[in-house]
Amino acid sequence: MKNINILDTKILSDNWYTLKKIRFEMIGVDGAKSILDREAYDRGNGATILLYNKANQKIVLTRQFRLPTFINGNDTGYLIECCAGLLDQDNAEDCIRRETEEETGFRIEKVEKVFEAYMSPGSVTELLYFFVAAYSNDMKLHDGGGLQEENEDIEVLELPFEKAIDMMKSGEIRDGKTIMLLQYAQLQGLML
């Protein structure tokens, strides 16, 4: 039984990504029909990765400015995060290999997909693919930092895993995808 029927879609903004207003009819679990209006922001799907070095008990994260956090109370606007990026036309594995090299300077070959998740399903269409990968110093090709033509200004951080866990607990790390991957690493004993 189809319980959703799209009635109308209007593009509200197509500047950076696409913001749509959608009117739809929905039949609820009780059988009642409702007509609802919602907005959905489509920025494409993405991928994120936690790079880990079991021998050194370290991980690689990034620090970069995120305007939405700044306007919502993050005093500096900077977040410490796992490397991530939009898929564009790539599959998730190719995307995360490309983003890892651009942002961190590490060229990784073997990645392991651990799960996928909608990060803000009430308003954003993005499906995020989560990966982990082992790294070593001999995989480092350059300093990283992102692409200048994309105005990326990314600081690469190599941190002890336990320090990153403490930073998550203290609130110094508050990026959702990063918290999810750090907790995954803890639960799976990735660093043991």
Side-chain angles (χ1 to χ4, degrees), residues 23-190:
R23 174 166 281 202
F24 61 99
E25 180 182 69
M26 179 175 149
I27 300 172
V29 293
D30 62 357
K33 283 186 183 180
S34 301
I35 294 180
L36 303 166
D37 291 307
R38 295 290 185 267
E39 293 178 3
Y41 193 53
D42 185 352
R43 59 184 306 263
N45 295 327
T48 186
I49 193 164
L50 178 65
L51 297 177
Y52 67 94
N53 184 311
K54 193 182 290 193
N56 293 336
Q57 292 291 296
K58 291 189 176 182
I59 60 170
V60 174
L61 299 176
T62 64
R63 179 185 286 128
Q64 59 184 309
F65 181 76
R66 298 298 196 183
L67 177 65
T69 74
F70 182 72
I71 61 176
N72 192 27
N74 179 1
D75 291 341
T76 67
Y78 282 86
L79 281 186
I80 296 172
E81 329 176 12
C82 287
C83 171
L86 294 177
L87 300 187
D88 298 323
Q89 301 303 312
D90 286 338
N91 66 48
E93 288 186 12
D94 290 341
C95 165
I96 205 55
R97 284 187 193 98
R98 179 191 74 237
E99 289 294 330
T100 299
E101 190 170 328
E102 289 173 6
E103 291 187 7
T104 70
F106 286 95
R107 178 172 289 160
I108 54 170
E109 296 299 326
K110 186 176 181 215
V111 298
E112 178 187 351
K113 181 182 169 194
V114 294
F115 51 83
E116 52 191 63
Y118 291 100
M119 297 301 291
S120 189
S123 59
V124 180
T125 62
E126 179 182 37
L127 179 63
L128 196 58
Y129 298 88
F130 289 75
F131 294 90
V132 295
Y135 78 94
S136 58
N137 291 338
D138 63 331
M139 296 176 174
K140 186 83 166 175
L141 300 179
H142 56 83
D143 291 338
L147 297 178
Q148 194 169 14
E149 60 266 22
E150 292 181 8
N151 294 311
E152 292 180 319
D153 184 21
I154 299 169
E155 180 184 358
V156 180
L157 307 172
E158 187 176 36
L159 300 170
F161 180 69
E162 285 305 319
K163 180 177 180 180
I165 296 299
D166 290 343
M167 292 167 74
M168 177 185 70
K169 290 176 183 175
S170 73
E172 191 174 351
I173 292 177
R174 26 186 203 164
D175 171 64
K177 66 187 177 297
T178 305
I179 291 169
M180 291 168 74
L181 280 170
L182 289 172
Q183 289 181 336
Y184 172 85
Q186 269 189 313
L187 290 170
Q188 297 301 312
L190 205 59

